[in-house]
Amino acid sequence: MTDPLSGQPHRLIEGRSLFEVTDRPLSVDDLVNAVLTGGDGAVVTFVGTVRDNNDGRSVVALEYEAYAGMAEAEMERIGVEMISKHSLHNIAMRHRTGKLAVGEISVIIAASSPHRAEAFAACSEALDMLKATVPVWKKEYFEDGEVWVGQGAG
């Protein structure tokens, strides 16, 4: 993928894009190392995990499905917007698909910038946008049933 603003290719991590939907386990260290530059004074990360409860019900697992091509393009669009708006050096997002157990990482966002305030703001805003616009669907498995939650529920 290329950065629409510069036309330059995004850096890759182990041959993988900075904006990715994957069925492989996610690594915070991979994304931090991918976005960190010598000019950064901060790297802020958000790590979303599968919790064991929702609305008073015991959750045993979550399952994520995504339209990968569209999801990755939308994550990249969000990333480019965050770089421009918050003067970031870089940002990366990964979302997991498949069935995940309680405690597993479902999404990571890492934002790097010269100062922490910008990185915190960008990370938070990017997460809100990801949940609202990226085509990812979540199914919650409870002890007594299951239910699909709509788009952007990541």
Side-chain angles (χ1 to χ4, degrees), residues 31-53:
L31 285 193
V32 167
N33 291 329
V35 300
L36 185 61
T37 72
D40 291 321
V43 175
V44 171
T45 59
F46 170 80
V47 178
T49 60
V50 178
R51 66 177 179 265
D52 66 0
N53 67 87

Side-chain angles (χ1 to χ4, degrees), residues 22-23 62-66 96-101 139 141:
T22 181
D23 62 357
L62 294 181
E63 182 176 354
Y64 290 96
E65 288 188 8
R96 182 102 183 260
T97 56
K99 196 167 184 179
L100 284 68
K139 185 178 200 178
Y141 290 87

